[in-house]
Amino acid sequence: MVLIGSHPILGFAVYFYSLGATVILAARKMDQLKSTAKEIELLGGKCDVMQLNIRDANQALEAVNQIVAKHGKLNGLVNNAGGQFHSPASKMTPNGFATVVDLNLMGTFYLCKAAFDGYMGEHGGTIVNIVADCRNGFPGMVHTGAARAGIINMTKTLAIEWGPYNGIRINCVAPGMTISSGMKNYPEKVLDGFIANGWMNPSGRFGTESEMAASVVFLLSPAASYITGVNLPVDGGYSLSRSDAKGPEAMYNPKGSLMRPYIGWPSDEKAAIQEVDAPTGIVKLFEKYKALAVNGINRDSKL
């Protein structure tokens, strides 16, 4: 089987080799791959490493061909590569958006297609795509939210189209907040935001690399032989309670907004809906908004 990506690649690889799989790690940076391979060897395992830029479709197919030539088969593929950066949509450049979509969405498709063309189309196999919790939007990361949502839909489509090809199965895993080396890629302010929202997780904690790996192993295994086209949230139930739109654009009357501080109800007596038609709770809420605007209280004030 092939594991593409970097974080949390060690935890995944340890699970796979311990179950008897031949593991091939592929990513753009060889130093990181060699370091991971060395850690696995210290644990008594063995794996191959290969350099790969997933944004190059030709490289993806060549990598699959090399694996099949050396090992004779390709039973499983885990697309774990990807990357993003934190930014409100209003501050994001077209190039920044396109770069993340190219890496996450296009790169995943290239590897799936390479696996199909190079082996699985004739022999079958299983694919797991690592995505993110983006079902309710992804404030602060519109680029990766769009890309991951695309991967989820692509996975469903490929499950339908490729299922008849010797039973190819393809699923997604959407990790929740996970304690891993990947957290090092975000600034302290962003991490503080992650921690601040931790109370909304019914499990009361973050996940671990081993828990993510276990879910991937399950979907690759015969135990999941009748499961395909699903997106499995592995998040302690966080996606059931998520409501954390904290990006500046989602706040009431953000600085620079062209919207008036208080909209209120139609002043035209002929309007179809009047304030008296609204539920009492809604009227009270709008009165609080109006008070904020009239009194000049700043946008960060609590209602």
Side-chain angles (χ1 to χ4, degrees), residues 95-259:
N95 183 63
F97 186 91
T99 297
V100 171
V101 171
D102 185 35
L103 174 63
N104 294 342
L105 177 58
M106 298 304 297
T108 298
F109 174 72
Y110 293 153
L111 264 298
C112 289
K113 186 62 163 55
F116 179 87
D117 291 341
Y119 184 81
M120 292 185 183
E122 294 184 9
H123 306 281
T126 308
I127 300 173
V128 176
N129 296 322
I130 309 300
V131 290
D133 176 18
C134 57
R135 68 173 66 188
N136 295 327
F138 210 150
M141 292 195 183
V142 64
H143 45 11
T144 197
R148 306 297 188 175
I151 293 171
I152 294 169
N153 191 276
M154 178 182 72
T155 296
K156 296 176 184 294
T157 300
L158 296 183
I160 298 170
E161 291 191 9
W162 291 358
Y165 288 86
N166 300 290
I168 293 176
R169 294 190 300 107
I170 176 168
N171 294 290
C172 292
V173 165
M177 194 57 59
T178 305
I179 300 172
S180 76
S181 56
M183 284 190 165
K184 297 177 182 178
N185 296 331
Y186 298 103
E188 186 175 346
K189 183 178 180 180
V190 175
L191 294 178
D192 287 343
F194 292 157
I195 295 171
N197 290 328
W199 65 271
M200 291 191 294
N201 193 320
S203 70
R205 64 177 178 85
F206 289 174
T208 65
E209 291 188 7
S210 60
E211 287 173 320
M212 302 307 122
S215 65
V216 174
V217 169
F218 164 68
L219 289 174
L220 287 172
S221 76
S225 58
Y226 205 47
I227 300 175
T228 191
V230 306
N231 178 36
L232 176 64
V234 185
D235 61 4
Y238 179 62
S239 55
L240 301 177
S241 57
R242 179 176 176 182
S243 180
D244 62 340
K246 294 185 181 299
E249 292 154 329
M251 297 174 65
Y252 170 72
N253 192 30
K255 291 180 180 178
S257 173
L258 299 180
M259 185 177 293

Side-chain angles (χ1 to χ4, degrees), residues 28 51-63 102-103 106-111 114:
R28 186 168 52 88
Q51 192 168 29
L52 172 63
N53 179 3
I54 67 170
R55 289 180 286 184
D56 188 320
N58 293 327
Q59 277 194 38
L61 182 57
E62 179 59 27
D102 185 35
L103 174 63
M106 298 304 297
T108 298
F109 174 72
Y110 293 153
L111 264 298

Side-chain angles (χ1 to χ4, degrees), residues 68-83:
V68 174
K70 181 175 181 179
H71 299 281
K73 57 185 177 180
L74 174 61
N75 298 108
L77 168 66
V78 180
N79 283 308
N80 186 52

